[in-house]
Amino acid sequence: QVQLVESGGGLVQAGGSLRLSCAASGRAFSRSVMGWLRQAPGKEREFVAVISGSGGMTSYADSVKGRFTISRDNAENTVYLQMKSLKPEDTAVYYCAVGVLYSMRPIDFVSWGQGTQVTVSS
């Protein structure tokens, strides 16, 4: 069982940048597909990005493609989400999660962290 702790959220102006981190416990981390998802107030949780266990494959939601980058450091059991050119519509609670397979569907992610709030002001 992997346990996840997100950090790095905060308040930023539109056009700014943030880097989120997700520290994972558990020996299976390097074999685990990892993803970032987000949930805005009143909306369903949505997929943001996914990375394979080796880090060799990544995929992004169209809404963040070209602005966000997912990466991982298996030696540190950490996955990151670098966010640039942030927009007010990126405001949400961001979660990292373990993927049961390489997928862009929220339903395929389990073992969620507690989330970190990202607020982008206009």
Side-chain angles (χ1 to χ4, degrees):
Q1 183 82 14
V2 177
Q3 293 185 326
L4 305 170
V5 178
E6 301 96 333
S7 61
L11 174 63
V12 63
Q13 288 188 333
S17 300
L18 281 174
R19 189 175 83 154
L20 306 183
S21 299
C22 173
S25 64
R27 293 176 292 175
F29 177 78
S30 64
R31 299 191 298 273
S32 299
V33 172
M34 298 297 298
W36 285 97
L37 301 96
R38 67 187 181 186
Q39 187 166 22
K43 295 188 176 182
E44 293 186 353
R45 201 167 289 187
E46 65 172 352
F47 167 82
V48 175
V50 61
I51 188 166
S52 63
S54 67
M57 288 199 302
T58 59
S59 298
Y60 300 90
D62 287 343
S63 59
V64 307
K65 201 173 293 183
R67 300 188 298 121
F68 290 10
T69 303
I70 189 171
S71 62
R72 66 192 298 160
D73 183 339
N74 285 344
E76 297 293 330
N77 274 20
T78 303
V79 62
Y80 303 98
L81 186 68
Q82 178 68 54
M83 306 185 295
K84 299 180 179 179
S85 302
L86 283 161
K87 305 175 181 180
E89 51 264 43
D90 294 319
T91 295
V93 177
Y94 283 70
Y95 300 89
C96 68
V98 178
V100 296
L101 71 163
Y102 190 87
S103 168
M104 298 171 68
R105 303 190 310 164
I107 196 173
D108 291 325
F109 290 87
V110 298
S111 299
W112 300 78
Q114 85 289 348
T116 185
Q117 176 71 46
V118 171
T119 303
V120 184
S121 63
S122 57

